[in-house]
């Protein structure tokens, strides 16, 4: 494969050379199918059980991050946990289910309503909460629809994770003893993933549209988080040059 050079947004400093670990989040499709009247009670109870389980799982992630001293990452997860704990969320979804909307439809519509209200407010803090809303909405929707996120279990040493996007809870599952870099199609320097990458000292480049379609797991890759450069199948000369830069920075 010929060397492919791409330029994105420098999100976390440093140079990484490794192998691609491609991550493709599963898109969850919902319908606007109405529930049968006799199915409403069971659907409501199922949603409440899923919500409790989702809260428990995210709380466990938060506790683990706190115990490891990953305070920035824990704060992000804590903010998302507070959304799941909000009684308005549970009320919004259950009210829609009681009106016979299926659970997936009810969850998607409730989060869309919250996000629309937040997006009208011109505030950096509120914009960050909108990101949290979208991430938590996707997490809860997957849980309601019983769609499991892809696993990172097969990740090898010196992996550079390439993905369309990663949520804060996705990143919390990464084994940073194996991850040496992150490359995302979306995001910015202030995105959750960029903040977390910097806290781990892991180089990251974001804003590389369609990069997931240009690589396969196992491809060689080199990234420069200072310049926002990504190179797939880098030449031996480029790898040598980057290694020399890495060695000089470590002196």
């Amino acid at each position: 494969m010929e060397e492919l050079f791409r330029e994105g947004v420098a999100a976390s400093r440093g140079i990484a050379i490794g192998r691609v670990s491609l991550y493709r989040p599963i898109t969850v499709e919902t319908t606007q199918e109405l529930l049968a009247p006799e199915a409403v009670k069971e659907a409501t109870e199922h949603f409440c059980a899923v919500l409790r389980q989702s809260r428990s799982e995210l709380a466990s992630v938060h506790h683990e991050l706190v115990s490891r001293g990953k305070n920035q990452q824990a704060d992000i997860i804590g903010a998302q946990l507070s959304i799941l704990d909000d009684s308005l969320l549970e009320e919004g979804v259950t009210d829609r289910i009681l009106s016979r909307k299926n659970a997936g439809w009810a969850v998607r519509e409730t989060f869309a309503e919250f996000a629309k209200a937040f997006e009208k407010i011109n505030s950096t803090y509120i914009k960050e909460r909108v990101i949290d809303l979208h991430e938590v909405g996707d997490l809860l929707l997957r849980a309601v629809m019983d769609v499991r996120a892809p696993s990172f279990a097969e990740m090898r040493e010196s992996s550079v994770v390439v993905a369309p996007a990663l949520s804060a809870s996705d990143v919390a599952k990464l084994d940073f003893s194996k991850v040496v870099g992150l490359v995302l199609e979306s995001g910015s320097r202030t995105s959750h993933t960029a903040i977390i990458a910097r806290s781990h000292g892991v180089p990251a480049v974001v804003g590389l549209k369609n990069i997931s379609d240009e690589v396969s797991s196992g491809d060689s890759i080199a990234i420069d988080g200072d310049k926002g450069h990504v190179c797939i199948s880098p030449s031996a000369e480029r790898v040598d040059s980057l290694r020399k830069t890495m060695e000089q920075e470590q002196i």
Side-chain angles (χ1 to χ4, degrees), residues 3 15 17 222 234-248:
E3 183 178 82
I15 293 171
I17 301 169
S235 65
E237 292 79 8
R238 189 182 297 275
V239 170
D240 286 343
S241 175
L242 289 171
R243 288 196 189 281
K244 287 177 182 177
T245 301
M246 291 170 68
E247 290 170 1
Q248 290 171 358

Coordinates of all heavy atoms in Angstrom, one line a residue, residues 3 15 17 222 234-248:
E3 N 2.0 5.1 0.6 CA 1.9 6.0 1.8 C 0.7 7.0 1.5 O 0.6 7.6 0.4 CB 3.2 6.8 1.9 CG 3.2 7.7 3.1 CD 4.6 8.4 3.3 OE1 4.8 9.4 2.6 OE2 5.4 7.9 4.1
I15 N 4.1 12.2 19.2 CA 4.2 11.4 18.0 C 4.0 9.9 18.4 O 4.4 9.5 19.4 CB 5.6 11.5 17.4 CG1 5.8 12.9 16.8 CG2 5.8 10.5 16.3 CD1 7.2 13.3 16.4
I17 N 3.7 5.9 16.6 CA 3.9 4.9 15.5 C 3.4 3.6 15.9 O 3.8 3.1 17.0 CB 5.4 4.8 15.1 CG1 5.9 6.2 14.7 CG2 5.5 3.8 13.9 CD1 7.4 6.3 14.5
A222 N 1.4 6.3 11.4 CA 2.2 7.3 12.2 C 1.4 8.6 12.3 O 0.8 9.0 11.4 CB 3.5 7.5 11.5
P234 N 3.3 4.5 6.4 CA 4.4 5.5 6.3 C 5.7 4.8 5.7 O 5.9 3.6 6.0 CB 4.6 6.0 7.7 CG 4.1 4.8 8.6 CD 3.0 4.3 7.8
S235 N 6.4 5.5 4.9 CA 7.6 5.0 4.4 C 8.7 4.8 5.5 O 8.6 5.4 6.6 CB 8.2 6.0 3.3 OG 8.5 7.2 4.0
A236 N 9.7 4.0 5.2 CA 10.8 3.8 6.2 C 11.4 5.1 6.5 O 11.8 5.3 7.7 CB 11.8 2.8 5.6
E237 N 11.6 6.0 5.5 CA 12.2 7.3 5.7 C 11.4 8.1 6.7 O 12.0 8.8 7.6 CB 12.4 8.0 4.4 CG 13.4 7.4 3.5 CD 12.9 6.2 2.7 OE1 11.6 5.9 2.8 OE2 13.7 5.5 2.0
R238 N 10.1 8.1 6.5 CA 9.2 8.9 7.4 C 9.3 8.4 8.8 O 9.3 9.1 9.8 CB 7.8 8.9 6.9 CG 6.9 10.0 7.7 CD 5.5 10.0 7.2 NE 5.4 10.4 5.8 CZ 5.3 11.6 5.4 NH1 5.4 12.6 6.3 NH2 5.1 11.9 4.1
V239 N 9.2 7.0 9.0 CA 9.3 6.4 10.3 C 10.6 6.8 11.0 O 10.6 7.1 12.2 CB 9.1 4.9 10.2 CG1 9.4 4.3 11.5 CG2 7.7 4.6 9.7
D240 N 11.7 6.7 10.2 CA 13.0 7.0 10.8 C 13.0 8.5 11.3 O 13.5 8.8 12.4 CB 14.1 6.8 9.8 CG 14.4 5.3 9.6 OD1 14.0 4.5 10.4 OD2 15.0 5.0 8.6
S241 N 12.5 9.4 10.5 CA 12.5 10.8 10.8 C 11.6 11.0 12.1 O 12.1 11.8 13.0 CB 11.9 11.6 9.6 OG 11.8 13.0 10.0
L242 N 10.5 10.4 12.1 CA 9.6 10.6 13.3 C 10.3 10.0 14.6 O 10.2 10.6 15.7 CB 8.3 9.9 13.1 CG 7.4 10.7 12.0 CD1 6.1 9.8 11.7 CD2 6.9 12.0 12.6
R243 N 10.9 8.9 14.4 CA 11.6 8.2 15.6 C 12.7 9.2 16.1 O 12.9 9.3 17.3 CB 12.1 6.9 15.2 CG 11.1 5.8 15.0 CD 11.7 4.4 15.0 NE 10.7 3.4 14.6 CZ 9.7 2.9 15.4 NH1 9.6 3.4 16.7 NH2 8.9 2.0 15.0
K244 N 13.4 9.8 15.2 CA 14.5 10.7 15.6 C 13.9 11.9 16.4 O 14.4 12.3 17.4 CB 15.3 11.2 14.4 CG 16.2 10.1 13.8 CD 16.9 10.6 12.6 CE 17.8 9.5 11.9 NZ 18.4 10.0 10.7
T245 N 12.7 12.4 15.9 CA 12.1 13.5 16.6 C 11.6 13.1 18.0 O 11.8 13.8 18.9 CB 10.9 14.0 15.7 OG1 11.3 14.4 14.5 CG2 10.2 15.1 16.4
M246 N 11.1 11.8 18.1 CA 10.7 11.3 19.4 C 11.8 11.2 20.3 O 11.7 11.6 21.5 CB 10.0 9.9 19.2 CG 8.7 9.9 18.5 SD 8.1 8.3 18.0 CE 7.7 7.6 19.6
E247 N 13.0 10.7 19.8 CA 14.1 10.6 20.7 C 14.7 11.9 21.1 O 15.1 12.1 22.3 CB 15.2 9.8 19.9 CG 14.9 8.4 19.6 CD 15.9 7.7 18.7 OE1 16.8 8.4 18.2 OE2 15.7 6.5 18.4
Q248 N 14.6 12.9 20.3 CA 15.1 14.3 20.6 C 14.2 14.9 21.7 O 14.7 15.6 22.6 CB 15.1 15.2 19.4 CG 16.2 14.8 18.4 CD 16.1 15.5 17.1 OE1 15.2 16.3 16.9 NE2 17.1 15.3 16.2

